[in-house]
Amino acid sequence: MPDRVDLAIYLAGWTLGWLLLWRLRPLPDLAGDHSPGSAARPGVAVIIPARNEQDALPHLLSRVLPHIGPQDEVIVVDDHSDDATAIIAARHGARVITPPPLPPEWLGKPHACAFGAAESSAPILLFVDADVRPAPDLVARIAQAVTAQPDVVTSIQPWHETGGWAEQASVLCNVTALMGCGAFTPTGHGANATVAFGPVLAIDRTTYDQVGGHAHPSVRSMHTEDIGLARLVGRAELYTGRPDTSFRMYPEGLGQTIRGWTRSIATGARFTPWWIAIATLAWVWSLAGGWIAMPIVYPLSALQVWVLGRRAASIHPLTALLYPLAVVAFTVIFLRSLIALILGRGVEWKGRHVDAR
């Protein structure tokens, strides 16, 4: 029989896992006429910061452009790419602009976003990463959500379409990213979130200008500019992308996966409310040690990783079955990110040195 104390500790962590990612929260469906040419729908400036994204852009633009109305804009900010990003964006019908050279104290993505916002005129700003594969009606639904709450950041974490084993191994990073925001617990809808998700982030232009947008000193030097902007505004409405908005995060394999998560995961934890951080740690601890202390609980954790993993990403059954390997991968990536944050180190990303903060 398993030790009662060990079993109680395990079940506490296991239960917290379910509570932290209790349910998905997709962006609300459209209500009324929000067709691209509808006069009832405000214009949206879709701003896509892109650096060396020639392979990802076609997936995004082919889904966005057919649903753009005359009041909307689609702007690709070519952040001094070394590939055919600008050519492909123009070929698909987007407006392509190139920002000036990166000034001191700025990082590339905030600079590109700020430049794109300044070059647009629509009343709603929608910043979308190039690797996002959006729902056909995403622009209209974003317009509806921002119009309903113009004084908050509206943000979506897309569902991660994983590819190779390296992306599969990092699935707990996706899960804990959703857990850490606190928006998907049983009481999460009422949570005053001050984080956001960079892949899909929208804001009313007036609110954006009032807080200083990406040009604000606390945002322009942050790799996690999404968190910086949400903290400036003071509140965010957060949604999950499944079932219709996804992305492919790190198609280049292990090195890109490690570098990508190193940039952001510890910083995200830094801005997580302490009680959520402790609860998330307790859940990971139940995965890491529960099956060692009591092998009988192994199927419970495997099932949980399978269910929760599918809420955040496409997960193979073998990944859930061999979940201790995913725990090891998560621990290594998190510690690497934490060390980089504490020591002020950075990573090379798309040919630039990026601080892990």
Side-chain angles (χ1 to χ4, degrees):
M1 293 291 291
D3 181 89
R4 290 183 179 181
V5 174
D6 287 341
L7 182 59
I9 293 173
Y10 167 80
L11 289 176
W14 186 77
T15 302
L16 285 171
W18 293 116
L19 295 175
L20 288 166
L21 192 46
W22 182 252
R23 77 319 186 224
L24 302 180
R25 188 187 178 206
L27 194 66
D29 291 332
L30 293 173
D33 182 12
H34 289 268
S35 59
S38 171
R41 181 169 77 72
V44 178
V46 182
I47 298 169
I48 305 165
R51 180 174 170 84
N52 299 336
E53 296 288 3
Q54 64 177 14
D55 296 328
L57 275 174
H59 299 287
L60 168 60
L61 294 176
S62 63
R63 288 167 168 81
V64 168
L65 286 166
H67 304 279
I68 290 299
Q71 71 273 52
D72 301 322
E73 305 166 83
V74 177
I75 300 174
V76 172
V77 186
D78 177 28
D79 188 13
H80 305 278
S81 300
D82 299 324
D83 63 5
T85 289
I87 295 172
I88 289 176
R91 185 180 299 160
H92 278 78
R95 177 187 170 199
V96 181
I97 59 175
T98 301
L102 196 61
E105 307 301 325
W106 282 78
L107 289 183
K109 185 178 177 182
H111 187 237
C113 289
F115 187 72
E119 291 292 310
S120 65
S121 59
I124 293 175
L125 298 169
L126 170 58
F127 301 95
V128 183
D129 283 358
D131 56 3
V132 172
R133 303 180 181 187
D137 60 352
L138 176 67
V139 173
R141 287 159 66 194
I142 283 288
Q144 174 181 267
V146 175
T147 300
Q149 293 184 289
D151 57 345
V152 307
V153 169
T154 300
S155 188
I156 301 172
Q157 177 70 345
W159 192 66
H160 184 193
E161 291 185 358
T162 58
W165 65 269
E167 290 175 281
Q168 283 281 315
S170 69
V171 70
L172 293 186
C173 297
N174 294 105
V175 173
T176 55
L178 291 180
M179 288 179 170
C181 71
F184 309 114
T185 67
T187 60
H189 183 65
N192 187 22
T194 53
V195 298
F197 304 124
V200 181
L201 186 151
I203 185 171
D204 179 83
R205 181 182 292 275
T206 300
T207 301
Y208 182 83
D209 291 339
Q210 285 176 346
V211 300
H214 289 91
H216 191 280
S218 68
V219 178
R220 65 191 182 197
S221 61
M222 288 185 71
H223 166 68
T224 50
E225 82 295 328
D226 46 357
I227 295 177
L229 193 57
R231 289 171 64 82
L232 270 183
V233 174
R235 186 182 170 198
E237 285 290 328
L238 305 180
Y239 301 94
T240 48
R242 189 179 179 187
D244 52 19
T245 296
S246 63
F247 60 180
R248 179 78 190 277
M249 293 184 69
Y250 306 123
E252 296 177 15
L254 180 62
Q256 187 187 38
T257 301
I258 293 175
R259 291 193 304 273
W261 282 115
T262 296
R263 293 175 303 156
S264 58
I265 193 166
T267 303
R270 173 187 171 195
F271 293 109
T272 298
W274 65 268
W275 59 273
I276 294 179
I278 291 175
T280 304
L281 177 62
W283 176 64
V284 175
W285 185 262
S286 76
L287 297 181
W291 67 276
I292 297 175
M294 299 168 293
I296 193 174
V297 304
Y298 194 103
L300 289 178
S301 286
L303 174 64
Q304 186 179 50
V305 169
W306 169 250
V307 174
L308 298 185
R310 285 180 57 80
R311 293 178 184 175
S314 60
I315 177 174
H316 194 279
L318 278 177
T319 303
L321 186 62
L322 302 176
Y323 75 86
L325 298 179
V327 174
V328 171
F330 171 81
T331 303
V332 170
I333 290 172
F334 185 84
L335 290 178
R336 189 174 188 267
S337 182
L338 183 62
I339 291 170
L341 178 65
I342 293 173
L343 299 182
R345 295 176 180 172
V347 296
E348 291 298 319
W349 187 254
K350 296 186 182 295
R352 286 177 174 154
H353 184 80
V354 178
D355 289 339
R357 63 189 176 93

